[in-house]
Amino acid sequence: MIPKIEKASLDEIKAFQEQKLLEVLTYVSEKSSFYKNLFAKEGIDIKNIKTLEDLNQIPVTTKEDLQKFNDDFLCVPVSEIIDFATTSGTLGEPVTFGLTDNDLDRLAYNEAISFDCAGIKEGDVVQLMTTIDRRFMAGLAYFLGLRKMKVGVIRVGAGIPELQWDSIRKYKPTYLITVPSFLLKLIEYAEAHTIDFNNSGIKGAICIGESLRNQDFTLNTLSKKITEKWNIKLFSTYASTEMSTAFTECEHGNGGHHHPELIIVEVLDEQNQPVKNGELGELTFTTLGIEAMPLIRFKTGDIVKFHDQPCTCGRTTLRVGPVIGRKQQMIKYKGTTLYPPAMNDVLNGFENIETHIIEISTNDLGTDEILIKLAVKEQSEVFLHEIKDHFRAKLRVTPKIEYCSRESLNTLIFNPMSRKPIHFFDLR
């Protein structure tokens, strides 16, 4: 069931969003201490903001603003907060988000239309392979969305391949929600224990936290490694706690679909100006329909490209392409601009590599230095040369590479204080 607005003409979508923009600006100017102060300080009269283009009159909101003035963004009494969630803190101090009862309903609606986008329907059973605790919004959002769709949920949580396979065999799920690299661990376990995973009944996996595609929407190395062995459909999804909204692929796999009833999106350059159509920039959004902590022009730090051709699925809304990388994680190395996902993709192409981390530091000349630490099945100088040649061919540069034990790297990657595996360490 595609919402009517997502099949409307671009002019109708724009008019609809401009009406919603007026509502959210009126709301925050009355309820949010942060935006009240900002509008007063900048001399902003919201009556002058009538179109999406007029949003340019409002300064952007940053992660630093959220960290520094967290409580000032709250628009309702604390007594109305039903759920307290925090951001993952990947790029700084975690921020707390409160959600009201209506916000939880909106979150459920968002996930329901997102999962529907990926082909999940009433009657399916979904195995949830991500945490629902530790103030993590995503796990709760998935559960609420699936419940709204009348879809069965198996809350297994993260890790433990044996438990995942026991659950798959017992409850016969049709879809999985997981970090894609964990699917490789499931395949490895299945092969070692003669589990016929291609006859397990799994049709697809909604993948979070890691990229599945190249910029032209072809499968990247990680996705190819999964699908070459396991005949399942992979769906990419992009979301964040701050936006309480997801961009999920449909079966055509051409980017995450925008839900215009939930969020206004922009792609901005370094000067906070909209980029030209089809150019890369920083994803910036304004939330719609949120009661507790709406955000206006919030810069995500994620570098993306918009695609606005209508999709074969019938949706006319724009689509968000694969994230190139985090703006703060951009690396300038020997005259070349790099982001961690591109390096991950190179490393994922080697069967001999068990795990890795990427460390960025500043050298004596004040420029970026890259050190890649690898745990491999078999160490050799020949293999090191092979990796370096591959980096040179794919990314035009060769970072420093050293061998480490799998145990020493896993201690860093699986930090108990983090909800996601950490493969990138910025020491600059």
Side-chain angles (χ1 to χ4, degrees):
M1 174 66 188
I2 302 174
K4 191 177 171 186
I5 189 63
E6 298 187 23
K7 294 164 85 173
S9 72
L10 296 184
D11 286 342
E12 287 171 316
I13 290 172
K14 187 173 188 290
F16 170 85
Q17 288 216 305
E18 286 171 349
Q19 176 58 40
K20 292 291 179 188
L21 175 61
L22 188 64
E23 291 171 18
V24 70
L25 290 178
T26 303
Y27 182 77
V28 297
S29 66
E30 293 171 1
K31 306 276 189 182
S32 166
S33 299
F34 178 84
Y35 288 113
K36 248 191 273 192
N37 295 337
L38 178 69
F39 295 167
K41 182 182 158 198
E42 299 290 334
I44 293 167
D45 184 350
I46 60 166
K47 293 191 189 72
N48 295 329
I49 299 167
K50 297 182 171 68
T51 68
L52 297 185
E53 291 77 14
D54 293 340
L55 264 173
N56 239 358
Q57 297 174 33
I58 301 175
V60 296
T61 301
T62 65
K63 288 181 188 284
E64 291 73 25
D65 291 330
L66 266 179
Q67 287 161 347
K68 199 171 171 185
F69 306 108
N70 199 170
D71 293 347
D72 291 350
F73 283 88
L74 197 62
C75 294
V76 298
V78 175
S79 59
E80 290 183 25
I81 300 298
I82 303 296
D83 185 73
F84 294 85
T86 52
T87 58
S88 59
T90 309
L91 295 176
E93 283 296 308
V95 171
T96 296
F97 274 80
L99 291 91
T100 64
D101 202 38
N102 286 335
D103 290 340
L104 289 171
D105 286 343
R106 177 191 176 281
L107 195 62
Y109 170 79
N110 161 72
E111 294 299 338
I113 59 175
S114 296
F115 289 142
D116 182 81
C117 205
I120 297 175
K121 305 293 178 198
E122 184 176 345
D124 278 315
V125 176
V126 176
Q127 186 147 313
L128 191 52
M129 298 180 171
T130 181
T131 180
I132 201 168
D133 57 4
R134 294 163 69 188
R135 304 195 305 272
F136 186 38
M137 184 187 281
L140 175 66
Y142 305 147
F143 176 79
L144 292 174
L146 294 166
R147 176 176 181 253
K148 186 177 179 68
M149 298 172 81
K150 297 183 170 60
V151 167
V153 187
I154 311 157
R155 292 180 293 107
V156 180
I160 322 174
E162 183 180 1
L163 179 60
Q164 303 290 356
W165 278 117
D166 285 349
S167 187
I168 289 167
R169 286 183 289 200
K170 184 169 185 177
Y171 301 109
K172 306 284 189 295
T174 41
Y175 287 86
L176 311 173
I177 299 176
T178 182
V179 176
S181 56
F182 185 64
L183 292 172
L184 290 175
K185 288 187 167 56
L186 285 183
I187 292 169
E188 192 181 312
Y189 183 91
E191 288 176 334
H193 295 81
T194 59
I195 295 169
D196 185 1
F197 51 91
N198 272 310
N199 283 310
S200 59
I202 303 295
K203 291 194 250 177
I206 315 299
C207 294
I208 63 169
E210 292 169 343
S211 181
L212 293 178
R213 300 188 185 276
N214 301 310
Q215 286 302 304
D216 62 357
F217 299 118
T218 55
L219 292 179
N220 65 14
T221 310
L222 174 60
S223 304
K224 282 181 188 166
K225 283 173 85 170
I226 295 164
T227 53
E228 277 164 7
K229 292 198 169 186
W230 200 350
N231 184 26
I232 57 172
K233 186 92 174 157
L234 302 180
F235 297 90
S236 186
T237 186
Y238 168 76
S240 72
T241 302
E242 292 93 344
M243 66 172 79
S244 285
T245 311
F247 297 81
T248 303
E249 288 180 337
C250 68
E251 71 272 20
H252 301 288
N254 287 319
H257 281 283
H258 172 222
H259 303 310
E261 64 272 50
L262 298 177
I263 200 164
I264 293 168
V265 286
E266 307 170 78
V267 176
L268 303 182
D269 63 18
E270 292 281 348
Q271 285 71 48
N272 296 329
Q273 296 301 311
V275 301
K276 288 179 183 156
N277 205 16
E279 287 185 356
L280 288 169
E282 186 172 354
L283 182 69
T284 303
F285 66 80
T286 297
T287 51
L288 302 173
I290 287 180
E291 276 185 342
M293 285 182 69
L295 295 175
I296 311 296
R297 302 197 83 207
F298 181 80
K299 295 191 84 177
T300 60
D302 292 323
I303 306 299
V304 302
K305 188 192 291 184
F306 283 165
H307 300 265
D308 58 4
Q309 311 85 349
C311 184
T312 317
C313 72
R315 292 173 180 83
T316 52
T317 51
L318 62 80
R319 288 163 288 114
V320 177
V323 175
I324 296 249
R326 289 280 180 91
K327 185 179 173 185
Q328 279 179 261
Q329 293 179 344
M330 185 179 83
I331 304 150
K332 291 290 274 186
Y333 188 64
K334 297 180 180 175
T336 299
T337 299
L338 297 172
Y339 289 95
M343 290 189 278
N344 288 334
D345 201 47
V346 171
L347 296 167
N348 284 335
F350 291 94
E351 289 292 331
N352 191 32
I353 296 176
E354 294 182 309
T355 193
H356 72 270
I357 65 171
I358 300 165
E359 281 185 3
I360 311 299
S361 58
T362 306
N363 60 26
D364 296 339
L365 300 172
T367 57
D368 290 346
E369 198 64 69
I370 305 172
L371 173 63
I372 294 175
K373 295 182 176 179
L374 299 179
V376 298
K377 294 169 189 170
E378 292 181 27
Q379 294 185 13
S380 72
E381 283 300 313
V382 174
F383 184 59
L384 270 187
H385 286 302
E386 190 185 339
I387 297 172
K388 288 179 178 179
D389 286 345
H390 208 58
F391 264 99
R392 210 174 284 117
K394 292 282 189 184
L395 303 178
R396 304 194 306 280
V397 293
T398 309
K400 290 180 181 173
I401 301 172
E402 67 179 41
Y403 290 131
C404 296
S405 72
R406 187 173 181 172
E407 294 71 31
S408 66
L409 295 188
N410 280 345
T411 303
L412 298 166
I413 294 165
F414 301 105
N415 185 327
M417 299 308 291
S418 173
R419 292 185 293 228
K420 304 173 187 173
I422 306 167
H423 290 276
F424 180 76
F425 293 84
D426 196 338
L427 311 177
R428 291 173 290 188

